[in-house]
Amino acid sequence: MMRKTTFKGANVFISRNLVPPEIFDSLHDVLKDNGAEIFLCCDPSRNGPDDYHVIAARDHEKLDDLRQKGCNLLGPQCVFSCAKEHRELPKQGFTCCLAMDGVKILASGFKMERKDEIDKLVTAMGGLLQTKASSDISFVIVKNVLAGKYKWALNNLKKPIVSENWLHQCWKEHRVVPHDSYRVLPFSGLTISVTQMPSDEREEIKKIVLLLQNGGKYSAELTKKSSHLVTNTRLQKDGVTFVLLLELGSTSLLLEKHV
């Protein structure tokens, strides 16, 4: 059988300390069959453009050391996919797999540290984290409906809006998993309070928020954690509740028909 040359010129370092034993032999065979030069060790000093290190666990203590030395890092799934699709091995920090190859992600509502983590996951799966909104985005990941890009994505993009849990499940399964069970619910991140309404109407609103699985929280009292206030009457300008709304700052006033 004629050996393939897909990985010809690549120096690939694989260590039994960094690759699970159940896939080590098959990984070795795939690399060999596709023309790679194989080294059965981990050598962080080998960080040339054609040097690659296979590491299975993203949280392995060796990962940061290899990354800081500028090494090309690959996950086993990435190697298998490249061999199957006759693709060259990717040259970047760490590519776990190609599950998100061609997928563009927009993240909104997260602090910079969290967004950096999302970027690492997306990039490691072969995807691209966009910094600006655009029509070619594939998925939007938001913290909740208060995220800055949520309304734009909902009204204009018409693409799946999902929670960060979706991304982690994609990572776990090395594929783009169905998004329906990870969609962001309409009240996600909202704490809804009610004032000046009959008890039966209060219970109905509570049911809408909680029992119908819309993702929100219900608070019988208006507190600093409240994001929206529901009422069926206009509040007096000098009323106590109105003053409290001003102090809360971020609380929005809703009429009953908006729920």
Side-chain angles (χ1 to χ4, degrees), residues 86-139:
H86 307 292
R87 296 172 53 160
E88 292 184 356
L89 298 173
K91 299 178 185 291
Q92 65 173 20
F94 177 52
T95 306
C96 166
C97 61
L98 301 179
M100 290 195 170
D101 185 37
V103 176
K104 296 181 179 180
I105 303 289
L106 180 69
S108 182
F110 301 96
K111 293 183 178 180
M112 188 56 65
E113 182 179 349
R114 194 73 231 145
K115 189 172 288 188
D116 286 343
E117 183 66 17
I118 291 173
D119 187 16
K120 289 179 180 178
L121 289 175
V122 172
T123 303
M125 288 189 281
L128 177 65
L129 184 69
Q130 299 278 68
T131 57
K132 296 182 180 180
S134 62
S135 60
D136 61 346
I137 288 171
S138 311
F139 294 90

CSV table of all heavy atoms in Angstrom, one decimal, residues 86-139:
chain,number,residue,atom,x,y,z
A,86,HIS,N,-7.5,15.0,4.2
A,86,HIS,CA,-6.3,15.3,3.4
A,86,HIS,C,-5.9,16.8,3.5
A,86,HIS,O,-5.6,17.4,2.5
A,86,HIS,CB,-6.5,14.9,2.0
A,86,HIS,CG,-6.9,13.5,1.8
A,86,HIS,ND1,-6.2,12.4,2.1
A,86,HIS,CD2,-8.2,13.0,1.3
A,86,HIS,CE1,-6.9,11.3,1.8
A,86,HIS,NE2,-8.1,11.6,1.4
A,87,ARG,N,-5.8,17.2,4.8
A,87,ARG,CA,-5.5,18.6,5.0
A,87,ARG,C,-4.2,18.7,5.8
A,87,ARG,O,-3.8,17.8,6.6
A,87,ARG,CB,-6.6,19.3,5.9
A,87,ARG,CG,-7.9,19.4,5.2
A,87,ARG,CD,-9.0,19.9,6.1
A,87,ARG,NE,-8.7,21.1,6.8
A,87,ARG,CZ,-9.6,21.9,7.3
A,87,ARG,NH1,-10.9,21.6,7.3
A,87,ARG,NH2,-9.2,23.0,7.9
A,88,GLU,N,-3.4,19.8,5.5
A,88,GLU,CA,-2.2,20.0,6.3
A,88,GLU,C,-2.6,20.3,7.7
A,88,GLU,O,-3.6,20.8,8.1
A,88,GLU,CB,-1.5,21.2,5.7
A,88,GLU,CG,-0.9,21.0,4.3
A,88,GLU,CD,-0.1,22.2,3.9
A,88,GLU,OE1,0.0,23.2,4.6
A,88,GLU,OE2,0.5,22.1,2.8
A,89,LEU,N,-1.6,20.0,8.6
A,89,LEU,CA,-1.8,20.3,10.0
A,89,LEU,C,-1.8,21.8,10.3
A,89,LEU,O,-1.0,22.5,9.7
A,89,LEU,CB,-0.7,19.6,10.9
A,89,LEU,CG,-0.6,18.1,10.8
A,89,LEU,CD1,0.6,17.6,11.5
A,89,LEU,CD2,-1.9,17.5,11.4
A,90,PRO,N,-2.7,22.3,11.1
A,90,PRO,CA,-2.8,23.8,11.3
A,90,PRO,C,-1.7,24.3,12.1
A,90,PRO,O,-1.2,23.7,13.0
A,90,PRO,CB,-4.2,23.9,12.0
A,90,PRO,CG,-4.4,22.6,12.7
A,90,PRO,CD,-3.8,21.6,11.8
A,91,LYS,N,-1.2,25.5,11.7
A,91,LYS,CA,-0.1,26.2,12.5
A,91,LYS,C,-0.7,27.3,13.3
A,91,LYS,O,-0.9,28.4,12.8
A,91,LYS,CB,0.9,26.7,11.5
A,91,LYS,CG,1.5,25.7,10.6
A,91,LYS,CD,2.5,26.4,9.6
A,91,LYS,CE,3.1,25.4,8.6
A,91,LYS,NZ,4.0,24.5,9.2
A,92,GLN,N,-1.0,27.0,14.5
A,92,GLN,CA,-1.5,28.0,15.5
A,92,GLN,C,-1.3,27.5,16.9
A,92,GLN,O,-0.8,26.4,17.1
A,92,GLN,CB,-3.0,28.4,15.2
A,92,GLN,CG,-3.9,27.2,15.5
A,92,GLN,CD,-5.4,27.7,15.4
A,92,GLN,OE1,-5.7,28.7,14.9
A,92,GLN,NE2,-6.3,26.9,16.1
A,93,GLY,N,-1.7,28.3,17.9
A,93,GLY,CA,-1.4,27.9,19.3
A,93,GLY,C,-1.9,26.6,19.7
A,93,GLY,O,-1.1,25.7,20.0
A,94,PHE,N,-3.2,26.3,19.6
A,94,PHE,CA,-3.7,25.0,19.9
A,94,PHE,C,-5.0,24.8,19.2
A,94,PHE,O,-5.9,25.5,19.2
A,94,PHE,CB,-4.0,25.0,21.4
A,94,PHE,CG,-4.6,23.7,21.9
A,94,PHE,CD1,-4.1,22.4,21.6
A,94,PHE,CD2,-5.8,23.7,22.6
A,94,PHE,CE1,-4.6,21.2,21.9
A,94,PHE,CE2,-6.4,22.5,23.0
A,94,PHE,CZ,-5.8,21.3,22.7
A,95,THR,N,-5.0,23.7,18.4
A,95,THR,CA,-6.2,23.2,17.7
A,95,THR,C,-6.6,21.9,18.2
A,95,THR,O,-5.9,20.9,17.9
A,95,THR,CB,-5.9,23.2,16.2
A,95,THR,OG1,-5.3,24.4,15.7
A,95,THR,CG2,-7.2,22.9,15.4
A,96,CYS,N,-7.7,21.9,18.9
A,96,CYS,CA,-8.2,20.6,19.5
A,96,CYS,C,-8.8,19.7,18.5
A,96,CYS,O,-8.5,18.5,18.4
A,96,CYS,CB,-9.2,21.0,20.6
A,96,CYS,SG,-10.2,19.6,21.2
A,97,CYS,N,-9.6,20.4,17.6
A,97,CYS,CA,-10.3,19.6,16.6
A,97,CYS,C,-10.8,20.6,15.5
A,97,CYS,O,-10.5,21.8,15.6
A,97,CYS,CB,-11.5,18.9,17.2
A,97,CYS,SG,-12.8,20.0,17.9
A,98,LEU,N,-11.5,20.1,14.5
A,98,LEU,CA,-11.9,21.0,13.4
A,98,LEU,C,-13.5,21.1,13.4
A,98,LEU,O,-14.1,21.4,12.4
A,98,LEU,CB,-11.4,20.5,12.0
A,98,LEU,CG,-9.9,20.4,11.9
A,98,LEU,CD1,-9.6,19.8,10.5
A,98,LEU,CD2,-9.2,21.7,12.1
A,99,ALA,N,-14.0,20.9,14.6
A,99,ALA,CA,-15.5,20.9,14.7
A,99,ALA,C,-16.1,22.2,14.2
A,99,ALA,O,-17.2,22.2,13.7
A,99,ALA,CB,-15.9,20.7,16.1
A,100,MET,N,-15.4,23.4,14.4
A,100,MET,CA,-16.0,24.7,14.0
A,100,MET,C,-15.3,25.3,12.8
A,100,MET,O,-15.3,26.5,12.7
A,100,MET,CB,-16.0,25.6,15.2
A,100,MET,CG,-16.9,25.2,16.3
A,100,MET,SD,-17.2,26.5,17.5
A,100,MET,CE,-18.6,25.9,18.4
A,101,ASP,N,-14.7,24.4,12.0
A,101,ASP,CA,-14.1,24.9,10.8
A,101,ASP,C,-15.1,25.7,10.0
A,101,ASP,O,-16.2,25.1,9.6
A,101,ASP,CB,-13.5,23.8,10.0
A,101,ASP,CG,-12.7,24.2,8.8
A,101,ASP,OD1,-12.1,25.2,8.9
A,101,ASP,OD2,-12.8,23.5,7.8
A,102,GLY,N,-14.9,27.0,9.7
A,102,GLY,CA,-15.8,27.8,8.9
A,102,GLY,C,-16.9,28.4,9.7
A,102,GLY,O,-17.7,29.1,9.1
A,103,VAL,N,-16.9,28.2,11.0
A,103,VAL,CA,-18.0,28.7,11.8
A,103,VAL,C,-17.6,30.0,12.4
A,103,VAL,O,-16.5,30.1,13.0
A,103,VAL,CB,-18.4,27.7,13.0
A,103,VAL,CG1,-19.4,28.3,13.9
A,103,VAL,CG2,-18.9,26.4,12.4
A,104,LYS,N,-18.4,31.0,12.4
A,104,LYS,CA,-18.1,32.4,12.9
A,104,LYS,C,-19.0,32.6,14.1
A,104,LYS,O,-20.3,32.5,14.0
A,104,LYS,CB,-18.3,33.4,11.9
A,104,LYS,CG,-17.3,33.3,10.7
A,104,LYS,CD,-17.5,34.4,9.7
A,104,LYS,CE,-16.5,34.3,8.6
A,104,LYS,NZ,-16.6,35.4,7.6
A,105,ILE,N,-18.4,33.0,15.2
A,105,ILE,CA,-19.2,33.2,16.5
A,105,ILE,C,-19.1,34.7,16.9
A,105,ILE,O,-18.0,35.3,16.8
A,105,ILE,CB,-18.6,32.3,17.6
A,105,ILE,CG1,-18.6,30.8,17.2
A,105,ILE,CG2,-19.3,32.5,18.9
A,105,ILE,CD1,-19.9,30.2,17.1
A,106,LEU,N,-20.2,35.2,17.5
A,106,LEU,CA,-20.2,36.5,18.1
A,106,LEU,C,-20.6,36.3,19.6
A,106,LEU,O,-21.5,35.6,19.9
A,106,LEU,CB,-21.2,37.4,17.4
A,106,LEU,CG,-21.3,38.8,18.0
A,106,LEU,CD1,-20.0,39.6,17.8
A,106,LEU,CD2,-22.5,39.6,17.5
A,107,ALA,N,-19.8,36.8,20.5
A,107,ALA,CA,-20.1,36.7,21.9
A,107,ALA,C,-20.4,38.1,22.5
A,107,ALA,O,-19.7,39.1,22.1
A,107,ALA,CB,-18.9,36.1,22.7
A,108,SER,N,-21.4,38.2,23.3
A,108,SER,CA,-21.8,39.4,23.9
A,108,SER,C,-22.3,39.3,25.3
A,108,SER,O,-22.9,38.3,25.7
A,108,SER,CB,-23.0,40.0,23.0
A,108,SER,OG,-23.4,41.3,23.5
A,109,GLY,N,-22.0,40.3,26.1
A,109,GLY,CA,-22.5,40.4,27.5
A,109,GLY,C,-21.5,39.8,28.5
A,109,GLY,O,-21.8,39.7,29.7
A,110,PHE,N,-20.3,39.4,28.0
A,110,PHE,CA,-19.3,38.8,28.9
A,110,PHE,C,-18.2,39.8,29.2
A,110,PHE,O,-17.9,40.6,28.4
A,110,PHE,CB,-18.7,37.6,28.2
A,110,PHE,CG,-19.7,36.5,27.9
A,110,PHE,CD1,-20.2,36.4,26.6
A,110,PHE,CD2,-20.1,35.6,28.8
A,110,PHE,CE1,-21.1,35.4,26.3
A,110,PHE,CE2,-21.0,34.6,28.5
A,110,PHE,CZ,-21.5,34.5,27.2
A,111,LYS,N,-17.6,39.6,30.4
A,111,LYS,CA,-16.5,40.4,30.8
A,111,LYS,C,-15.3,39.9,29.9
A,111,LYS,O,-15.3,38.8,29.4
A,111,LYS,CB,-16.1,40.2,32.3
A,111,LYS,CG,-17.2,40.9,33.2
A,111,LYS,CD,-16.8,40.7,34.6
A,111,LYS,CE,-17.9,41.4,35.5
A,111,LYS,NZ,-17.5,41.3,37.0
A,112,MET,N,-14.3,40.8,29.8
A,112,MET,CA,-13.2,40.5,28.9
A,112,MET,C,-12.5,39.2,29.2
A,112,MET,O,-12.1,38.4,28.3
A,112,MET,CB,-12.1,41.6,29.0
A,112,MET,CG,-11.0,41.5,27.9
A,112,MET,SD,-11.7,41.4,26.2
A,112,MET,CE,-12.4,43.1,26.1
A,113,GLU,N,-12.3,38.8,30.5
A,113,GLU,CA,-11.7,37.6,30.8
A,113,GLU,C,-12.5,36.4,30.4
A,113,GLU,O,-11.9,35.4,29.8
A,113,GLU,CB,-11.5,37.5,32.4
A,113,GLU,CG,-10.8,36.2,32.8
A,113,GLU,CD,-10.6,36.2,34.3
A,113,GLU,OE1,-10.8,37.3,35.0
A,113,GLU,OE2,-10.2,35.1,34.9
A,114,ARG,N,-13.8,36.5,30.5
A,114,ARG,CA,-14.7,35.4,30.0
A,114,ARG,C,-14.7,35.3,28.5
A,114,ARG,O,-14.7,34.2,27.9
A,114,ARG,CB,-16.1,35.6,30.5
A,114,ARG,CG,-17.0,34.4,30.4
A,114,ARG,CD,-16.7,33.4,31.4
A,114,ARG,NE,-16.5,32.1,30.8
A,114,ARG,CZ,-15.7,31.2,31.2
A,114,ARG,NH1,-14.9,31.4,32.2
A,114,ARG,NH2,-15.6,30.0,30.6
A,115,LYS,N,-14.7,36.4,27.9
A,115,LYS,CA,-14.7,36.5,26.4
A,115,LYS,C,-13.4,35.9,25.8
A,115,LYS,O,-13.4,35.2,24.8
A,115,LYS,CB,-14.9,37.9,25.9
A,115,LYS,CG,-15.1,38.0,24.4
A,115,LYS,CD,-15.5,39.3,23.9
A,115,LYS,CE,-16.9,39.7,24.3
A,115,LYS,NZ,-17.4,41.0,23.7
A,116,ASP,N,-12.3,36.1,26.5
A,116,ASP,CA,-11.0,35.6,26.1
A,116,ASP,C,-11.0,34.0,26.2
A,116,ASP,O,-10.5,33.4,25.3
A,116,ASP,CB,-9.8,36.1,27.0
A,116,ASP,CG,-9.5,37.5,26.7
A,116,ASP,OD1,-9.9,38.0,25.6
A,116,ASP,OD2,-8.8,38.2,27.6
A,117,GLU,N,-11.7,33.5,27.2
A,117,GLU,CA,-11.8,32.1,27.3
A,117,GLU,C,-12.7,31.5,26.2
A,117,GLU,O,-12.4,30.4,25.6
A,117,GLU,CB,-12.4,31.7,28.7
A,117,GLU,CG,-12.6,30.3,29.0
A,117,GLU,CD,-11.2,29.5,29.1
A,117,GLU,OE1,-10.2,30.2,29.3
A,117,GLU,OE2,-11.2,28.3,29.0
A,118,ILE,N,-13.7,32.2,25.8
A,118,ILE,CA,-14.6,31.8,24.7
A,118,ILE,C,-13.8,31.8,23.4
A,118,ILE,O,-13.9,30.9,22.6
A,118,ILE,CB,-15.8,32.7,24.6
A,118,ILE,CG1,-16.8,32.5,25.8
A,118,ILE,CG2,-16.6,32.5,23.3
A,118,ILE,CD1,-17.9,33.5,25.9
A,119,ASP,N,-13.0,32.8,23.3
A,119,ASP,CA,-12.1,32.9,22.1
A,119,ASP,C,-11.2,31.7,21.9
A,119,ASP,O,-11.0,31.2,20.9
A,119,ASP,CB,-11.3,34.2,22.1
A,119,ASP,CG,-10.6,34.5,20.8
A,119,ASP,OD1,-10.9,33.9,19.8
A,119,ASP,OD2,-9.7,35.4,20.9
A,120,LYS,N,-10.6,31.3,23.1
A,120,LYS,CA,-9.7,30.2,23.0
A,120,LYS,C,-10.4,28.9,22.6
A,120,LYS,O,-9.9,28.1,21.9
A,120,LYS,CB,-9.0,30.0,24.4
A,120,LYS,CG,-8.0,31.1,24.8
A,120,LYS,CD,-7.5,30.8,26.2
A,120,LYS,CE,-6.4,31.9,26.5
A,120,LYS,NZ,-5.9,31.7,27.9
A,121,LEU,N,-11.6,28.7,23.1
A,121,LEU,CA,-12.4,27.5,22.8
A,121,LEU,C,-12.8,27.5,21.3
A,121,LEU,O,-12.6,26.5,20.7
A,121,LEU,CB,-13.6,27.4,23.7
A,121,LEU,CG,-13.4,27.1,25.2
A,121,LEU,CD1,-14.7,27.1,25.9
A,121,LEU,CD2,-12.8,25.7,25.3
A,122,VAL,N,-13.3,28.6,20.9
A,122,VAL,CA,-13.7,28.7,19.5
A,122,VAL,C,-12.5,28.5,18.5
A,122,VAL,O,-12.6,27.7,17.6
A,122,VAL,CB,-14.4,30.0,19.2
A,122,VAL,CG1,-14.7,30.2,17.7
A,122,VAL,CG2,-15.7,30.2,20.0
A,123,THR,N,-11.4,29.2,18.8
A,123,THR,CA,-10.3,29.1,18.0
A,123,THR,C,-9.7,27.6,18.0
A,123,THR,O,-9.3,27.1,17.0
A,123,THR,CB,-9.2,30.1,18.4
A,123,THR,OG1,-9.7,31.4,18.4
A,123,THR,CG2,-8.0,30.0,17.5
A,124,ALA,N,-9.7,27.0,19.2
A,124,ALA,CA,-9.1,25.7,19.3
A,124,ALA,C,-10.0,24.6,18.5
A,124,ALA,O,-9.5,23.5,18.3
A,124,ALA,CB,-9.0,25.3,20.8
A,125,MET,N,-11.2,25.0,18.2
A,125,MET,CA,-12.0,24.1,17.4
A,125,MET,C,-12.1,24.5,16.0
A,125,MET,O,-12.9,24.0,15.2
A,125,MET,CB,-13.5,24.0,18.0
A,125,MET,CG,-13.5,23.3,19.3
A,125,MET,SD,-15.2,23.0,19.9
A,125,MET,CE,-15.6,24.6,20.6
A,126,GLY,N,-11.2,25.4,15.6
A,126,GLY,CA,-11.1,25.8,14.2
A,126,GLY,C,-12.0,26.9,13.8
A,126,GLY,O,-12.1,27.2,12.6
A,127,GLY,N,-12.7,27.5,14.7
A,127,GLY,CA,-13.7,28.5,14.4
A,127,GLY,C,-13.1,29.9,14.5
A,127,GLY,O,-11.9,30.1,14.8
A,128,LEU,N,-13.9,30.9,14.3
A,128,LEU,CA,-13.4,32.3,14.4
A,128,LEU,C,-14.4,33.1,15.3
A,128,LEU,O,-15.6,33.1,15.1
A,128,LEU,CB,-13.4,33.0,13.0
A,128,LEU,CG,-13.0,34.4,12.9
A,128,LEU,CD1,-11.6,34.6,13.4
A,128,LEU,CD2,-13.2,35.0,11.5
A,129,LEU,N,-13.9,33.8,16.3
A,129,LEU,CA,-14.7,34.7,17.2
A,129,LEU,C,-14.6,36.1,16.6
A,129,LEU,O,-13.6,36.7,16.5
A,129,LEU,CB,-14.2,34.7,18.6
A,129,LEU,CG,-15.0,35.5,19.6
A,129,LEU,CD1,-16.4,34.8,19.8
A,129,LEU,CD2,-14.3,35.7,20.9
A,130,GLN,N,-15.8,36.6,16.1
A,130,GLN,CA,-15.9,37.9,15.5
A,130,GLN,C,-15.9,39.0,16.6
A,130,GLN,O,-16.5,38.8,17.7
A,130,GLN,CB,-17.1,38.0,14.7
A,130,GLN,CG,-17.2,37.0,13.5
A,130,GLN,CD,-16.5,37.5,12.3
A,130,GLN,OE1,-15.2,37.6,12.3
A,130,GLN,NE2,-17.2,37.8,11.3
A,131,THR,N,-15.3,40.1,16.3
A,131,THR,CA,-15.3,41.2,17.3
A,131,THR,C,-16.4,42.2,17.0
A,131,THR,O,-16.8,43.0,17.8
A,131,THR,CB,-14.0,41.9,17.3
A,131,THR,OG1,-13.7,42.4,15.9
A,131,THR,CG2,-12.8,41.0,17.7
A,132,LYS,N,-17.0,42.1,15.8
A,132,LYS,CA,-18.1,43.0,15.4
A,132,LYS,C,-19.2,42.2,14.8
A,132,LYS,O,-19.1,41.2,14.2
A,132,LYS,CB,-17.6,44.0,14.4
A,132,LYS,CG,-16.5,45.0,14.9
A,132,LYS,CD,-16.1,46.0,13.9
A,132,LYS,CE,-15.0,46.9,14.4
A,132,LYS,NZ,-14.6,47.9,13.4
A,133,ALA,N,-20.4,42.8,14.9
A,133,ALA,CA,-21.6,42.2,14.3
A,133,ALA,C,-21.6,42.2,12.8
A,133,ALA,O,-21.2,43.2,12.2
A,133,ALA,CB,-22.9,43.0,14.8
A,134,SER,N,-21.9,41.1,12.2
A,134,SER,CA,-22.0,41.1,10.7
A,134,SER,C,-23.0,40.0,10.3
A,134,SER,O,-23.3,39.1,11.1
A,134,SER,CB,-20.6,40.8,10.1
A,134,SER,OG,-20.1,39.5,10.6
A,135,SER,N,-23.4,40.1,9.1
A,135,SER,CA,-24.5,39.2,8.6
A,135,SER,C,-24.0,37.7,8.4
A,135,SER,O,-24.8,36.8,8.2
A,135,SER,CB,-25.1,39.7,7.3
A,135,SER,OG,-24.0,39.8,6.3
A,136,ASP,N,-22.7,37.5,8.4
A,136,ASP,CA,-22.2,36.1,8.1
A,136,ASP,C,-21.9,35.4,9.4
A,136,ASP,O,-21.3,34.3,9.3
A,136,ASP,CB,-21.0,36.2,7.2
A,136,ASP,CG,-19.8,36.9,7.8
A,136,ASP,OD1,-20.0,37.7,8.8
A,136,ASP,OD2,-18.7,36.8,7.3
A,137,ILE,N,-22.3,35.9,10.5
A,137,ILE,CA,-22.1,35.2,11.8
A,137,ILE,C,-23.0,33.9,11.8
A,137,ILE,O,-24.2,33.9,11.4
A,137,ILE,CB,-22.4,36.1,13.0
A,137,ILE,CG1,-21.3,37.1,13.1
A,137,ILE,CG2,-22.6,35.3,14.3
A,137,ILE,CD1,-21.6,38.2,14.1
A,138,SER,N,-22.4,32.8,12.3
A,138,SER,CA,-23.2,31.5,12.4
A,138,SER,C,-24.0,31.4,13.7
A,138,SER,O,-25.1,30.9,13.6
A,138,SER,CB,-22.2,30.4,12.2
A,138,SER,OG,-21.3,30.5,11.2
A,139,PHE,N,-23.4,31.7,14.8
A,139,PHE,CA,-24.0,31.6,16.1
A,139,PHE,C,-23.7,32.8,16.9
A,139,PHE,O,-22.6,33.4,16.8
A,139,PHE,CB,-23.5,30.4,16.9
A,139,PHE,CG,-23.9,29.1,16.2
A,139,PHE,CD1,-23.1,28.5,15.3
A,139,PHE,CD2,-25.1,28.4,16.6
A,139,PHE,CE1,-23.4,27.3,14.7
A,139,PHE,CE2,-25.4,27.2,16.0
A,139,PHE,CZ,-24.6,26.6,15.0
